């Protein structure tokens, strides 16, 4: 397969897949954010969509892809497996065409360990070539994040699974067979993994207790466009009539509801007004009700929504993270930043991950008053925060600390930008365009 036209390699369009761990953001708080923020395509949709290109020898074109580090790492992994790619800048986001004509080999364990979503390669690669060996995944340090549901589900489809030296090998010597499988928990990744694999399993697969996150639905829509027969899209019960050859498709990635929520919070705590292009109020799920209860005004407009607030009128509001349509765990750190300056207190229960309060110590350095007991945090609003050096330990912790830095008096230096870059493209530049006092420095 050879591409023609103004082709770019992934490397020339995406950030370097190695990250910039030495870079820092220097933030000074106090300016109201004003202007337009175009919400990128969703990281958590883009990654599984890209993995799905392994399932076919047809051409799959994905649009509205975000130019983030995780996409760059996955593009390299897919390329090493023989998936040819043609990347270009589009009017909105990035556009890439994938051609997995000769899929062969195994993904580099180092690349897989850097990002949990790359574990999704295991099932599709096995289904396509008969065998796949993938390292146990890495990703954010937010909890133990086992893969038992992924592996049990693959076994139910007839895969033979072995683990040795931190590598998991899945084989399907006689092909995969459709099955009925109930997920022990509606895991986003396991649902995506099993739906993709089931499209190439012979016969009918019924997946029960599936995750219903919009990113899962986006993946199912791509698979359907590629010719997969899937019933129940958007529900917790997916039925896949598999085994037929999948073809090419053109698909647009949904907007990133987590980036949207993060910028809504940044606009609100600054007392500003930002128009977000891309998402609708529905995309926010239960976060909409929480944000409005806290005092954020959200209005849907043509092509997006407007977020504004009177920062001194915010009211601390309790919330619990839950699978969709509950409040997303990925929004918990930014929402905690929202509660820092709200009147009264807010109780936050984190039910998804056991280690997802790692931003709390750094928020305390800025003067936050937070008590953590197990998976519950109690945030009491304080009259002022003051800048200090802080470090983001995962994507969302980093964006939470950036927002807190924009609330604090004086200078906050945020380290850990390789985490921030995993999920957001040009975060500092885009915040600066809204009037924030933020600059990025290489060390
Ligand atoms: C995805 C998102 C991540 C988000 C999370 C929850 C991507 C690339 N990442 O991660 O940003 O925070 O959903 O919305 O989409 N679990 C098991 N066994 C398994 C799989 C999961 O016990 O085999 C547990 C996990 O430890 C966790 C819970 O299920 O406690 C939720 O995890 P899951 O929904 O699988 O999250 P990810 O797909 O890893």
């Amino acid at each position: 397969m050879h591409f023609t036209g103004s082709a770019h390699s992934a490397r020339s369009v995406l950030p370097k897949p190695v990250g910039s761990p030495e870079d820092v953001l220097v933030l000074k708080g106090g300016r109201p954010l004003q202007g337009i923020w175009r919400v990128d395509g969703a990281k958590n949709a883009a990654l599984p969509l890209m993995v799905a290109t392994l399932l076919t020898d047809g051409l799959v074109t994905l649009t509205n892809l975000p130019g983030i580090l995780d996409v760059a790492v996955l593009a390299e992994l897919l390329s090493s497996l023989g998936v040819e790619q043609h990347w270009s800048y589009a009017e909105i986001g990035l556009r890439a065409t994938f051609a997995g004509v000769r899929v062969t080999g195994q993904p580099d364990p180092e690349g897989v360990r850097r990002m949990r979503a790359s574990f999704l390669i295991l099932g599709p690669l096995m289904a396509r070539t008969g065998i796949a060996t993938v390292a146990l995944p890495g990703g954010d340090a937010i909890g133990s994040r086992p893969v038992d549901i992924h592996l049990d589900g693959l076994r139910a489809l007839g895969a033979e699974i072995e683990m040795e030296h931190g590598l998991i090998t899945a084989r399907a010597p006689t092909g995969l067979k459709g099955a009925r499988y109930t997920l022990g928990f509606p895991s986003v990744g396991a649902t995506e993994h099993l739906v993709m694999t089931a499209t190439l399993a012979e016969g009918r697969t019924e997946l029960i207790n599936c995750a219903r996150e919009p990113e899962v639905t986006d993946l199912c829509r791509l698979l359907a466009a590629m010719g997969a027969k899937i019933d129940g899209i958007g529900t917790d019960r997916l039925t896949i009539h598999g085994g037929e050859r999948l073809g090419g498709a053109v698909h647009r990635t949904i907007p990133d509801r987590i980036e949207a929520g993060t910028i809504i919070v940044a606009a609100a705590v600054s007392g500003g007004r930002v128009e977000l292009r891309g998402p609708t109020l529905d995309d926010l799920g239960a976060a909409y009700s929480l944000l409005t209860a806290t005092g954020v005004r959200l209005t849907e407009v043509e092509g997006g929504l407007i977020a504004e607030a009177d920062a001194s009128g915010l009211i601390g509001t309790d919330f619990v993270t839950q699978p969709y349509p509950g409040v997303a765990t990925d929004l918990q750190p930014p929402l905690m930043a929202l509660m820092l300056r709200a009147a009264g207190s807010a109780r936050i229960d984190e039910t998804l991950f056991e280690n997802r309060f790692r931003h709390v110590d750094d928020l305390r350095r800025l003067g936050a008053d937070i008590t953590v007991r197990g998976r519950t945090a109690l945030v009491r609003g304080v009259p002022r925060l003051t800048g200090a050096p802080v470090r983001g330990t995962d994507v969302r912790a980093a964006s939470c600390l950036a927002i807190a830095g924009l609330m604090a008096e004086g200078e906050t230096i945020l380290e850990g930008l390789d985490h921030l870059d995993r999920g957001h493209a040009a975060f500092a530049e885009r915040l600066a365009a809204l009037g924030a006092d933020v600059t990025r420095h290489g060390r």
Side-chain angles (χ1 to χ4, degrees):
M1 172 66 49
H2 292 287
F3 293 112
T4 53
S6 57
H8 294 280
S9 67
R11 281 223 159 176
S12 62
V13 170
L14 290 167
K16 275 198 239 104
V18 287
S20 315
E22 302 302 318
D23 287 10
V24 297
L25 291 193
V26 178
L27 307 122
K28 288 190 199 120
R31 292 199 193 161
L33 304 188
Q34 307 274 359
I36 294 173
W37 179 286
R38 207 199 66 75
V39 176
D40 264 340
K43 162 173 110 57
N44 288 351
L47 301 172
L49 294 175
M50 288 170 67
V51 173
T53 67
L54 281 169
L55 296 166
T56 177
D57 57 5
L59 290 186
V60 178
T61 297
L62 301 177
T63 62
N64 200 30
L65 290 170
I68 55 176
L69 193 55
D70 273 8
V71 164
V73 172
L74 184 57
E76 292 273 315
L77 283 171
L78 292 174
S79 164
S80 75
L81 296 174
V83 179
E84 284 196 38
Q85 298 163 46
H86 165 166
W87 288 78
S88 55
Y89 298 99
E91 198 185 326
I92 296 175
L94 297 173
R95 175 189 177 93
T97 298
F98 299 80
V101 177
R102 277 177 295 278
V103 170
T104 165
Q106 301 300 335
D108 169 30
E110 263 322 297
V112 174
R113 278 192 208 100
R114 291 183 57 196
M115 183 184 50
R116 183 170 171 89
S118 53
F119 189 64
L120 303 182
I121 289 173
L122 184 72
L125 184 61
M126 163 190 61
R128 181 84 188 272
T129 68
I131 181 166
T133 298
V134 172
L136 269 173
D140 291 337
I142 57 177
S144 66
R145 304 185 86 171
V147 288
D148 53 326
I149 305 172
H150 297 240
L151 299 182
D152 281 354
L154 293 178
R155 279 194 200 96
L157 295 173
E160 293 170 8
I161 310 267
E162 278 170 31
M163 189 176 119
E164 236 177 37
H165 310 298
L167 299 174
I168 293 186
T169 298
R171 287 188 184 80
T174 55
L176 295 166
K177 297 265 175 318
R180 182 188 159 96
Y181 180 71
T182 302
L183 286 79
F185 180 86
S187 154
V188 173
T191 303
E192 293 165 344
H193 205 161
L194 298 176
V195 175
M196 283 193 277
T197 309
T199 61
L200 296 189
E202 205 55 51
R204 174 187 163 108
T205 295
E206 260 185 278
L207 298 175
I208 299 151
N209 198 25
C210 292
R212 290 179 290 153
E213 267 67 1
E215 294 76 16
V216 175
T217 299
D218 202 34
L219 172 66
C220 290
R221 292 210 176 109
L222 167 67
L223 295 170
M226 289 161 69
K229 295 188 186 68
I230 307 178
D231 297 329
I233 293 178
T235 74
D236 63 356
R237 196 178 183 113
L238 295 167
T239 304
I240 302 107
H241 307 272
E244 301 206 2
R245 184 186 163 274
L246 298 184
V250 178
H251 179 85
R252 183 185 162 86
T253 314
I254 55 169
D256 196 319
R257 65 197 167 98
I258 307 301
E259 182 171 284
T262 304
I263 298 308
I264 290 169
V265 170
V269 295
S270 78
R273 181 181 193 273
V274 173
E275 180 174 340
L276 291 98
R277 294 261 166 90
T280 62
L281 293 180
D282 282 352
D283 292 333
L284 301 176
Y288 169 78
S289 308
L290 172 64
L291 287 161
T292 50
T294 310
V296 183
R297 289 188 297 283
L298 295 168
T299 322
E300 201 157 284
V301 291
E302 172 82 33
L305 54 94
I306 291 174
E308 56 192 325
D310 167 6
S312 58
L314 296 170
I315 302 155
T317 310
D318 300 346
F319 68 93
V320 181
T321 63
Q322 276 169 339
Y324 191 83
V327 176
T329 174
D330 287 353
L331 269 185
Q332 180 260 110
L335 289 168
M336 187 182 280
L338 177 66
M339 303 307 168
L340 295 180
R341 291 275 295 279
S345 60
R347 177 190 157 124
I348 302 175
D349 289 297
E350 171 57 61
T351 70
L352 271 296
F353 294 111
E354 71 273 18
N355 199 11
R356 202 155 202 186
F357 287 136
R358 285 167 53 115
H359 42 289
V360 166
D361 279 345
D362 283 285
L363 290 175
R364 286 193 188 118
R365 283 165 166 271
L366 302 177
D369 180 355
I370 305 170
T371 313
V372 174
R373 282 214 181 80
R375 293 193 185 190
T376 300
L378 188 68
V379 184
R380 291 174 212 84
V382 290
R384 66 194 273 265
L385 299 170
T386 53
V390 290
R391 178 171 196 85
T393 48
D394 66 71
V395 185
R396 312 304 168 190
S399 59
C400 155
L401 292 168
I403 295 170
L406 291 180
M407 278 191 268
E409 291 168 19
E411 196 171 88
T412 294
I413 297 178
L414 172 64
E415 296 181 1
L417 294 202
D418 44 338
H419 292 293
L420 189 68
D421 294 343
R422 287 189 48 202
H424 300 282
F427 197 65
E429 292 85 337
R430 290 154 83 202
L431 279 176
L434 295 180
D437 188 344
V438 51
T439 43
R440 183 172 178 135
H441 299 267
R443 277 191 175 163

